[in-house]
Amino acid sequence: MTPNTVVRSDEALMTDIAEGDTAALGQLYMRHSQAVRAMIGYVAPAMSSHDVDDVTQEVFLSLGKAAKSYRHEALFNAFLFRIASNRARDWLRRSWVRGRFTKNDDLKIVSTPGAGMTAAPGQQTMLSQTIRQILESLTYNHREVLVLNIVQGLTCDEIADVLNIRPKTVRTRLHRARAAVLQHRHAAIWKDAISETTP
Amino acid sequence: MTARNEYNVCRDLHKYLDRDLLESARYGFEQHLTECRTCTAAIAQWTTFAGAARNDATQQAFRSPAAEHIAQKQLEASFSQQQALSPWHRRSFAPLMATAVVLVCLLAGAAIFWTRANDPSPKQTAPVPSTVQITRFSMDGSIRQTTGHQGTPIAATPNEQLLATVGKDRVAVAPKGRMVIKRKETTSTLLALNDGWIACQVAKRHGSRQFVTRTQDKRFTVVVKGTRFGVQYQGSSDTRVDELSPLLQVAVTEGIGQVEETQGRTWTVSAAEQLVVQPSGAAEVMPISEQNRTIVSSLLNPSSAPSALTDILAQPNPALDSSDKASPPPALSRGTKTKSSPGVSPGIPRPDGPDASPVSVAEMRQWIGAGRNADAIAVIEARLLKEPGNSELWRLLAESKRKVGDYQGAIVAYQQVIDSASPQMANAARYKMGLIYQNQLHQPANAITQFSRYLADGEPQLLRAEALYHLGRAEYNMGHKASARAHLNEVTEQHSATAAAVQARKLLQQMDL
């Protein structure tokens, strides 16, 4: 990026998209695709990497279509994560329907959780699998709140804005999700890590 | 710090992690962390987990710049393609259009329903007159106009008779009579007869509209079209039914009427005939009595003195002949009671047989009406031995024999009537003979002879249309189709408003087939 390049804000890019600028959508994709992909991959741990990429594309296409209805006083991140959350729910719903009517084992293999994710060496892979097992043990609502909190770093009020629910509901879900994580049988791995670091 | 305070502080762990604590509380909790190993361990554990998860998510979501660039270009291309699509090629267009069409149909249906429900169509808003103009003719000769209302009783006092005009129809109420006019403009005119005599002059009607007179208890219904007739009914004004007077009389002077009973019986009363239904249930259609003809005429033409009508109505039984009025009242049947009124006519069969005392002609007629035809035949035949020239006795004998199925005997008796009675009565006997020849004896040749003689009589025939129809039918049965068609056509053309015309048309259609 050259020093003379003007970095346009997300809201300004949304205005450009509403006027038909496809390049603006590309810029938004480059800025936020990783965060969206991380969120979707954690909210729906059963999703393969290909599915995550497809859903991410759908999220940004939906963002482009919804650009005309975007209110500039709203937080862009909240707007984007709300779309991502809805698309992840749609995918899970479709996946459930497909699972009810499909008996083909090949399809099940393709949709094995994390089958196409980027492999990390050694300890990192085991850690990743443990994290996924812990997340899968949570309900979708709890997992969604937890991911938005710890991965995206959103506060309770911001999560409430994203999910269009009350902040108190977010706090309740977050507390329960946190308690479930701390009491999970695989949480011992963290305790060991802590015992090594604490005096 | 006490144990209780320590517990409360531990409960702030989640608020601390959510960064929801105020500055002072946060400071207090951090002081607590230096002492509480559980909270410290939990926070450390959670922080480790969150950090590991964040790092893992970032790593998992990482794509190489080249892959991201390709994905970006694919996204831009897809978005451009989507933008270029016309609205009806978009995936969401079909459901939207279907929803819109359904909504439009629903709205259109609702609008049509609302329009029809609130549309003041001419049929629904046809002005139905709720009032009826009534002219009251009093005994003292005074005439006054009053107004009655549909649905409310219209009653005549003992000293007056009423004449009401309902559209083109006229309805007269005799003294002591009571009725209710229930008119429905779009369907029919309905009279509810409570008690007494009424007479109606009904204009011709079109389509399915009818003029219906129904008795109060809805037992009898008189349906007419273009008819002049009178109805008498014993209603609820008496404490009980007079068992010596007819329960119902329908006297038709013009046209034809159909009388229906809820029990299923139906009678057709033609012009110059009357139906008499006894309280016992026995019913007979007979030629109209002069008394009933006068009643109907007087009611519909109230110019004559009402007092004369009152005198006629005061006579106990309209079916009686003048010669029989002086006959003493017979003994009553066992167990029957009647109110004691002067001049009550006989009508109930005697318990002690026909030879016990002289039987009047009226009493014989009552027997026939009540179904005691065998007794009537025995009495009449015994009396005919003494009075062989009494044509009325021969007529009653013919009627009773016809009813018991002795058609040959009825023919012989009718022949005696023809030979001895007045020309008018003789001609009526020819008509009856013709009916027996045609319907019971199946001798169309003899039927043709009788109907032809009936029609050849110089006097105007009351049943000319019916006779022509029966003549045509007999000729058709004989194979004389040309003459049959001529007679039937005469019925349909010259007596088109009669029931005979309807039957003649059916027979003509059958002949054409």
Side-chain angles (χ1 to χ4, degrees), chain B residues 182-190 205-206 208-211:
Chain B
K182 299 177 179 177
R183 190 179 191 207
K184 297 177 181 178
E185 184 67 28
T186 55
T187 56
S188 303
T189 301
L190 175 64
R205 277 168 152 64
H206 303 285
S208 60
R209 294 177 58 190
Q210 295 173 326
F211 189 96

Side-chain angles (χ1 to χ4, degrees), chain B residues 2-20:
Chain B
T2 62
R4 180 178 179 80
N5 285 340
E6 187 175 347
Y7 172 73
N8 287 338
V9 172
C10 287
R11 288 187 62 185
D12 289 339
L13 172 65
H14 289 289
K15 290 183 181 177
Y16 177 77
L17 291 173
D18 291 341
R19 296 189 288 273
D20 285 341

Side-chain angles (χ1 to χ4, degrees), chain A residues 37 42 150 171 175 178 194, chain B residues 18 20 45 54 56 61:
Chain A
R37 199 180 293 119
Y42 261 26
I150 64 176
R171 285 189 178 87
H175 293 180
R178 193 179 287 141
I194 290 165
Chain B
D18 291 341
D20 285 341
Q45 188 179 352
R54 195 178 302 118
D56 179 64

